[in-house]
Amino acid sequence: MIDNHNREINYLRISITDRCNLRCVYCMPKEGVSFLGHEDILSYEEILRIVGAAVKTGIIKVRVTGGEPLVRRGITDFLTSLTKVGGLRDISLTTNGIFLEDHAEEIFNAGIERINVSLDSLSPGRYRDITRGGDINRVLRGIRKAHDTGFSPIKINVVAIKGFNDDEIIDFAKLSIDKPYQIRFIEFMPVGESALENSLGYLSNDEVIKNINSFSPLKPVDKDHGRADGPASLYTLNGAKGEIGFISAMSHEFCSSCNRLRLTADGHLRACLLSDEPTTDLKTPLRNGCTDSELETLIRDLINRKPGSYETGCQQIHRRKCATNMSSIGG
Ligand code: SAM
Ligand code: SF4
């Protein structure tokens, strides 16, 4: 469906849980996180009904995220059911990779071939610090296993943070040379309480690009040949098997090409990552017995209210910060 700002809305990100086995400093508070109860979370059946209705509005692409999706029981069966929803052309998963080695084969066999793994440092100590206790070796083994299993593409999400990992930018970029990985630098976004509490240093992707260019010139991947990748601008290094992507939500205008909706684990459909409004509660009508066509109408209504570039979206981030943690929205 085309929204009121002439954008084709065809992408739905689904957070299947607000729980996580890590506590990244920019995403979750150290302790005192109040998780949703079992009853408050959408069941897999409810999510599948929403996806079915969303497909009727024109959604063709779905990403499963969290919290950490691999901590929710029954995910493999859910993914199998998701691949059977007619009309979806692209289903992918974002994970912190801690449980990936154990689950890669079953996820792949469920029909998911595209995966994003978050990794903000290549140093075991720093990784432990930023995730508050994570073991990088498990993530590295998970990525290798995903590669050996046949996942393609494998995208590695790196939140670039000044004073934390800015001296590792070139090492991350080099990972794209020998392996067909897409290294994606994501600008840190001040979303949610924990991001605001932690005085993490903002690093623009322009600085990241400058840094990589000082090592080896980045060549843009030709967008006219179908290689544009959502909000990421894609580049490659000379002779590299992989690519380098930049997601510059803070420094560059982002809204005019935004094609997505987000479903939170407690059943709220959000029109904008960076604004808590507008949002539609789908769980209550679902549990009150609404029909699929009523569900579809609710989704269409939200798409019609999706903010444009100069309304309530990213442009206001510096003034009106979104209060919901990333772990609830799903990134
Ligand atoms: N747990 C999974 C993971 O870490 O990949 C999936 C959920 S996580 C919320 C999705 C993505 O959002 C991750 O790549 C994470 O680095 C990113 N993210 C979380 N908080 C962020 C923030 N404040 N700014 C930028 N990216 C953020
Ligand atoms: Fe968990 Fe992902 Fe948030 Fe880190 S970024 S705390 S792994 S949900």
Side-chain angles (χ1 to χ4, degrees):
M1 171 176 165
I2 307 288
D3 77 356
N4 290 327
H5 305 279
N6 212 24
R7 299 167 299 196
E8 187 176 350
I9 309 303
N10 56 17
Y11 181 17
L12 175 65
R13 294 176 69 100
I14 306 171
S15 172
I16 61 167
T17 177
D18 63 335
R19 292 176 190 245
C20 187
N21 50 339
L22 297 179
R23 293 280 179 282
C24 299
V25 295
Y26 50 73
C27 180
M28 277 207 191
K30 186 175 181 185
E31 47 208 17
V33 195
S34 150
F35 290 116
L36 296 163
H38 183 68
E39 270 303 299
D40 299 321
I41 297 273
L42 289 180
S43 68
Y44 287 136
E45 292 71 23
E46 289 169 331
I47 297 174
L48 289 166
R49 268 196 71 195
I50 292 173
V51 173
V55 165
K56 294 213 177 82
T57 72
I59 296 293
I60 52 172
K61 186 172 167 184
V62 160
R63 175 170 295 278
V64 176
T65 174
E68 172 49 37
L70 299 189
V71 302
R72 182 158 174 187
R73 259 193 243 150
I75 180 168
T76 310
D77 289 344
F78 166 66
L79 293 173
T80 306
S81 306
L82 197 56
T83 60
K84 295 191 176 129
V85 176
L88 287 182
R89 288 200 216 135
D90 177 348
I91 306 173
S92 55
L93 179 81
T94 298
T95 171
N96 60 34
I98 295 284
F99 293 136
L100 187 54
E101 186 181 24
D102 302 337
H103 292 285
E105 279 178 3
E106 60 190 51
I107 295 169
F108 191 78
N109 292 336
I112 310 297
E113 296 174 3
R114 307 165 66 85
I115 201 157
N116 285 28
V117 184
S118 302
L119 179 64
D120 299 328
S121 176
L122 296 169
S123 136
R126 280 188 191 174
Y127 181 78
R128 200 180 318 111
D129 290 346
I130 195 89
T131 57
R132 297 198 182 98
D135 175 1
I136 194 174
N137 290 315
R138 297 185 66 164
V139 184
L140 296 176
R141 287 203 303 271
I143 294 171
R144 271 197 297 274
K145 183 66 184 267
H147 180 246
D148 295 345
T149 306
F151 281 90
S152 177
I154 296 174
K155 300 181 184 175
I156 301 189
N157 288 354
V158 184
V159 178
I161 303 169
K162 192 167 242 154
F164 171 69
N165 58 8
D166 43 358
D167 59 345
E168 295 187 64
I169 301 294
I170 292 171
D171 291 336
F172 270 114
K174 281 181 183 166
L175 284 184
S176 73
I177 296 178
D178 295 333
K179 299 276 188 220
Y181 301 153
Q182 187 187 106
I183 311 298
R184 292 152 70 91
F185 291 100
I186 302 173
E187 287 181 342
F188 167 63
M189 290 176 264
V191 172
E193 294 155 36
S194 55
L196 299 176
E197 275 164 17
N198 290 287
S199 46
L200 297 171
Y202 168 74
L203 183 64
S204 77
N205 267 339
D206 288 346
E207 289 178 75
V208 175
I209 289 173
K210 204 165 133 196
N211 195 340
I212 298 174
N213 272 330
S214 72
F215 157 69
S216 176
L218 281 163
K219 289 186 298 180
V221 172
D222 188 352
K223 290 198 174 192
D224 294 337
H225 290 81
R227 298 294 304 115
D229 191 19
S233 11
L234 296 183
Y235 294 79
T236 183
L237 290 176
N238 228 346
K241 291 186 176 151
E243 293 169 342
I244 301 180
F246 298 96
I247 302 180
S248 311
M250 296 303 296
S251 63
H252 289 74
E253 204 274 336
F254 197 70
C255 309
S256 60
S257 59
C258 179
N259 60 349
R260 51 193 67 186
L261 300 175
R262 292 178 163 84
L263 180 64
T264 62
D266 66 351
H268 287 80
L269 193 65
R270 294 173 65 98
C272 177
L273 168 65
L274 298 172
S275 171
D276 289 337
E277 287 298 329
T279 299
T280 294
D281 173 15
L282 295 181
K283 185 177 65 184
T284 307
L286 258 176
R287 293 190 180 173
N288 286 339
C290 77
T291 63
D292 287 347
S293 103
E294 285 164 345
L295 212 47
E296 184 187 332
T297 303
L298 287 169
I299 299 171
R300 287 188 186 276
D301 282 351
L302 185 76
I303 293 175
N304 278 326
R305 289 186 289 131
K306 193 170 157 65
S309 313
Y310 299 102
E311 293 177 25
T312 54
C314 316
Q315 310 305 324
Q316 291 199 356
I317 184 75
H318 294 290
R319 282 177 274 144
R320 189 165 84 78
K321 305 227 168 72
C322 163
T324 312
N325 282 329
M326 272 295 199
S327 54
S328 320
I329 308 173

